[in-house]
Amino acid sequence: MAPVKFHDKYFVPYISSAEIQEKVVELARRLNEDYKGKRPLFISVLNGSFMFTADLFKYLTIEAEVCFIKLASYKGTKSSGQILTAIGLDTDINNRDIVILEDIIDTGKTMTEFLRQINHQQPTSLKIAVLLHKPTATAYPLTIDYTCFSIPDKFVVGYGLDYDGLGRNLSQLYQLDEDNED
Ligand code: IMP
Ligand code: MG
């Protein structure tokens, strides 16, 4: 597969669509098992998680609900450190089994801020499921309960993830080509 270019940067093929689907199916299988009879509420973090959430949901066979929040911290390829809540939580999470769905945990700041926002509420259980985790970049202490892929600290696009708004529509993941920049 050929590299792709968004704005000023080139990206090379990284994780195929088939590999992603395999991991998403495997995650759904685990969730179907772990939440049997429980009707969990999934909280999906927009924008990046929309494709991951949509695919995962097709493979869930348990009773499950989903709602969306929108947090943003990224400017270009670097975390800005400032977390913006563009769409907040509109659903009561008290006495619910909660699973947060994130596209990627990088520094962990976004997730830590969201957990802080909801820490006065009392869910029955709260777990975090992510498509991607960059363990060497994660600076905040977080327990991630379900991870599809652990990846190195390199910027990626595709499958919902963007570089300055572009690349979300790719069905596979691409990695920044650091040797080929304009
Ligand atoms: P954190 O707060 O540093 O953990 O960043 C989390 C958010 O930044 C994710 O939800 C993504 O939206 C975005 N992000 C982090 N790393 C990448 C990347 O490699 N590509 C695209 N977006 C990313
Ligand atoms: Mg995100």
Side-chain angles (χ1 to χ4, degrees), residues 45-49 71 102-104 110:
V45 185
L46 295 171
N47 288 332
S49 303
L71 305 173
E102 251 291 34
D103 52 351
I104 183 164
T110 307

Side-chain angles (χ1 to χ4, degrees), residues 101-161:
L101 296 178
E102 251 291 34
D103 52 351
I104 183 164
I105 291 191
D106 181 26
T107 65
K109 183 157 188 174
T110 307
M111 185 57 69
T112 302
E113 168 60 18
F114 179 61
L115 294 175
R116 195 194 58 74
Q117 286 179 13
I118 59 170
N119 74 4
H120 59 283
Q121 303 202 50
Q122 245 110 55
T124 306
S125 67
L126 189 137
K127 301 246 159 143
I128 298 173
V130 301
L131 177 72
L132 303 165
H133 180 210
K134 292 179 180 169
T136 59
T138 307
Y140 292 78
L142 277 173
T143 303
I144 305 169
D145 304 280
Y146 303 93
T147 303
C148 293
F149 300 95
S150 276
I151 62 167
D153 186 10
K154 275 197 175 186
F155 196 78
V156 294
V157 292
Y159 199 68
L161 291 96

